[in-house]
Amino acid sequence: MSNVATKGFAPRLVLTVVAVVTLSLLASGSFASPPSPSGDAVMAGDLAGSNESFTIDGSTTAPISPGVRAPLDLRLTNNRDFPISLTDLRVTVRKVTAPNADQAHPCAIRDFAWDQILNRRTITLPARSTRTLSNLGLPPASWPHVGMLDHPSDQDGCQGASLALAYTATGTRAN
């Protein structure tokens, strides 16, 4: 670690993590999500050196269906020897893979929606720790959400679809 970093300089780290969430249409017409997937970090920036400053992964905590959005209880891991503060935590749907989609039954990113974490919160992660949003005391209403839009057309093309979710955040050394 450089002397500049130890004197309180807070370099920023922007992290993009891609995780795949598989959705399956249930008989009841709702979508179910599998256990939490892991994501691989693609970094743009550095918190004084390592390529593994922090990671984000997660999945929906409840089934989604047309018109329903489910919260993402994201898991955040700080691999550093010091606490970090994360801001600007964002989620987007990067890609949809829909094996049942065809011209008559399409399924694309435009069929899904997502909400960001509320109140532009700063999340502090202790050194060498992993925490979920629920572990950090954030209520589910403030977590990012992902869901499927309810279109008037047939949405059967989205049965069994997989979503690649991208998570981004900015990290700085916590005081």
Side-chain angles (χ1 to χ4, degrees), residues 10-53:
R12 292 170 33 123
L13 173 68
V14 177
L15 174 72
T16 301
V17 177
V18 179
V20 176
V21 178
T22 304
L23 307 173
S24 305
L25 185 62
L26 301 175
S28 66
S30 64
F31 286 84
S33 173
S36 185
S38 62
D40 295 322
V42 178
M43 306 251 192
D46 192 348
L47 263 174
S50 170
N51 283 340
E52 296 185 10
S53 296

Side-chain angles (χ1 to χ4, degrees), residues 99-159:
N100 295 311
D102 56 28
Q103 212 167 17
H105 305 94
C107 184
I109 290 174
R110 68 180 174 274
D111 293 308
F112 297 89
W114 48 95
D115 301 314
Q116 304 308 327
I117 198 164
L118 294 180
N119 300 328
R120 295 230 185 257
R121 294 179 186 259
T122 297
I123 298 168
T124 301
L125 287 176
R128 299 271 176 213
S129 67
T130 298
R131 301 286 192 276
T132 62
L133 295 178
S134 58
N135 293 147
L136 293 166
L138 279 90
S142 71
W143 301 349
H145 289 66
V146 67
M148 189 174 174
L149 296 173
D150 190 5
H151 296 302
S153 59
D154 186 336
Q155 295 180 276
D156 286 347
C158 288
Q159 291 183 35

Side-chain angles (χ1 to χ4, degrees), residues 25-118:
L25 185 62
L26 301 175
S28 66
S30 64
F31 286 84
S33 173
S36 185
S38 62
D40 295 322
V42 178
M43 306 251 192
D46 192 348
L47 263 174
S50 170
N51 283 340
E52 296 185 10
S53 296
F54 64 94
T55 59
I56 306 168
D57 64 63
S59 183
T60 57
T61 60
I64 65 171
S65 59
V68 175
R69 294 181 190 177
L72 297 164
D73 190 10
L74 300 179
R75 185 174 47 232
L76 312 165
T77 300
N78 176 9
N79 295 314
R80 295 306 204 158
D81 291 328
F82 51 83
I84 60 173
S85 294
L86 300 178
T87 57
D88 301 322
L89 179 60
R90 315 275 299 153
V91 62
T92 57
V93 176
R94 177 177 262 184
K95 181 181 176 185
V96 175
T97 304
N100 295 311
D102 56 28
Q103 212 167 17
H105 305 94
C107 184
I109 290 174
R110 68 180 174 274
D111 293 308
F112 297 89
W114 48 95
D115 301 314
Q116 304 308 327
I117 198 164
L118 294 180

